[in-house]
Every structure is written in C-alpha cells, then in structure tokens.
Amino acid sequence: ETGVTQSPTHLIKTRGQQVTLRCSSQSGHNTVSWYQQALGQGPQFIFQYYREEENGRGNFPPRFSGLQFPNYSSELNVNALELDDSALYLCASSLNLGIREETQYFGPGTRLLVL
Amino acid sequence: SQQGEEDPQALSIQEGENATMNCSYKTSINNLQWYRQNSGRGLVHLILIRSNEREKHSGRLRVTLDTSKKSSSLLITASRAADTASYFCATGGGGQAGTALIFGKGTTLSVSS
C-alpha cells in the first residue's frame, strides 16, 4: 500500500453537475498530482500542487480546478460535468525537494460515471 | 497527448516465461518510470531509472534505458499469473523538479498457468 487514499471510490453524477474528489497524500509528501484515466488509455496529467500552489497544468479546461491544504491533502473539483468526464481519477503524492523528481505514489482512484 | 508508446499493446505468455515490454518516448527526460495497474485500480510503482543510468534491477524486474534511441524496456523474468496486469511507462519532464508524469497507453500482459 502507498499510504495515499482517495474518496469516494465510486461516484455517479449527471451532466451539468459538479463533483469534488479528495486525496490524502502519503505522510511527509508535499506534492499532489491529479490524473484522469479514460478506459483503455494511460493516465493524463490534470494538474499538480506543491505547497498549496498550482505547479503545472495539463490540457484540461478551467472547469477542472483544485486545492491543496496545509496538511498537503488535496481536492479536485469539476464543474459542469460532461459525459466525457467519465473516467478513473487518480491522485499521486510525492516529495519535491527542488533538486530532482522523485517517485509519485498513486492512490486507488475514484471512478466517476457521468450520465 | 501521450509522450510514450509501449510495445506490444498486448502480450500473452505462459507462467515461467519471460515478458519483455518496450517503451519509446519523444523528448528529453530526467527519468523514466514503470508502473503496473491491476484491473483499473491505482498504479503501483515498479522502478525508476534516471537518465544517466543504463540498467536497473529490482527482484524479477530488469529495466534498460537508451537515451540515444529514446527507448526503454521492462523485462519480467519467470512470469507468474499474479503478474497479469497493464504496464505503463511514464517519463518525467526534462530539467524541472516536481513536474508531471507523461504516460503511454500501456501494455496489457496476460500470464496463464
């Protein structure tokens, strides 16, 4: 186990609704990254938070937003849900020492279904 | 967009055989990582190889990296049924700490007993 937890495990929403996904990072880690994985595809980077600031963003629209809290846990918010947002959402925590990249450890994911 | 491409897309072998998966990428990297994913669950980190390393071992896993060819391979020796999973390579951005991982589409490995 990686020590990274995500909630909820499964979620069903309808188009136009809003959703909040949560992630608790591994103890001692200061960076959280979020990924979207569509069925049969590799994970796609959404954004990353380092010390409560966004530290990079992938090719996702502004309706995907996030937060990182002082305890380094994080939220992913998606507004105005679309059918194509149905996917497995993964968060990963890591320790950014500012020198080099370290391993990212993934949580079990939240499976979102938009109807 | 995907940075890496794994090859083959699917691989079926018998228990005890070796499995080799390849990954090619496009831009310069700091490191390359391999992950395993069972049945759409979270990714399990297998091994990280840095751009100045050529080969790395971990148990039954052997990873090679050829930065001149922008390619990597993952070898699983003496495969077991429990190795059945999808395997992804992921590259870290060049020259900047704490950046995104860019994944390929993965190789689906099926090991039958």
Side-chain angles (χ1 to χ4, degrees):
Chain A
E1 298 299 322
T2 63
V4 180
T5 60
Q6 291 185 245
S7 63
T9 55
H10 295 82
L11 203 52
I12 300 174
K13 292 285 189 177
T14 55
R15 264 190 315 179
Q17 284 189 311
Q18 178 264 344
V19 69
T20 297
L21 309 182
R22 295 178 175 85
C23 173
S24 292
S25 57
Q26 190 177 115
S27 177
H29 285 181
N30 58 12
T31 300
V32 173
S33 305
W34 285 92
Y35 296 83
Q36 181 197 66
Q37 186 179 23
L39 204 60
Q41 301 294 315
Q44 298 272 331
F45 174 69
I46 303 174
F47 44 57
Q48 182 180 87
Y49 279 84
Y50 168 59
R51 291 185 175 178
E52 303 178 56
E53 298 280 336
E54 189 178 288
N55 184 41
R57 187 179 183 94
N59 189 25
F60 280 81
R63 60 189 184 85
F64 285 77
S65 62
L67 281 173
Q68 187 180 31
F69 300 100
N71 66 356
Y72 301 126
S73 65
S74 178
E75 285 183 356
L76 164 65
N77 299 289
V78 187
N79 294 321
L81 282 167
E82 300 177 0
L83 297 179
D84 285 349
D85 295 334
S86 296
L88 180 68
Y89 288 85
L90 297 160
C91 82
S93 79
S94 57
L95 176 61
N96 182 349
L97 299 173
I99 302 171
R100 62 182 188 186
E101 294 167 64
E102 299 300 327
T103 300
Q104 293 188 19
Y105 294 94
F106 283 78
T110 293
R111 187 161 296 282
L112 173 64
L113 177 61
V114 182
L115 301 175
Chain B
S1 62
Q2 314 265 179
Q3 153 86 303
E5 290 291 333
E6 288 91 345
D7 171 58
Q9 290 187 349
L11 183 60
S12 293
I13 59 173
Q14 298 286 320
E15 264 192 330
E17 293 181 337
N18 295 342
T20 300
M21 289 160 263
N22 302 297
C23 168
S24 59
Y25 57 92
K26 298 174 184 175
T27 62
S28 63
I29 61 171
N30 269 350
N31 63 64
L32 186 143
Q33 304 183 47
W34 285 90
Y35 286 85
R36 184 186 75 223
Q37 185 176 41
N38 292 82
S39 301
R41 298 177 192 170
L43 281 80
V44 174
H45 182 259
L46 297 176
I47 200 162
L48 180 152
I49 186 166
R50 301 198 186 276
S51 58
N52 61 352
E53 297 176 308
R54 291 296 168 258
E55 188 171 312
K56 208 162 182 181
H57 296 255
S58 177
R60 294 184 296 113
L61 307 179
R62 171 178 169 252
V63 168
T64 61
L65 179 64
D66 187 335
T67 53
S68 66
K69 295 181 180 178
K70 292 187 170 56
S71 67
S72 174
S73 68
L74 170 66
L75 168 68
I76 305 174
T77 59
S79 296
R80 307 166 182 168
D83 294 328
T84 295
S86 293
Y87 291 82
F88 295 91
C89 69
T91 53
Q96 184 179 356
T99 56
L101 289 177
I102 304 175
F103 287 84
K105 292 185 178 181
T107 292
T108 301
L109 173 66
S110 176
V111 182
S112 53
S113 53

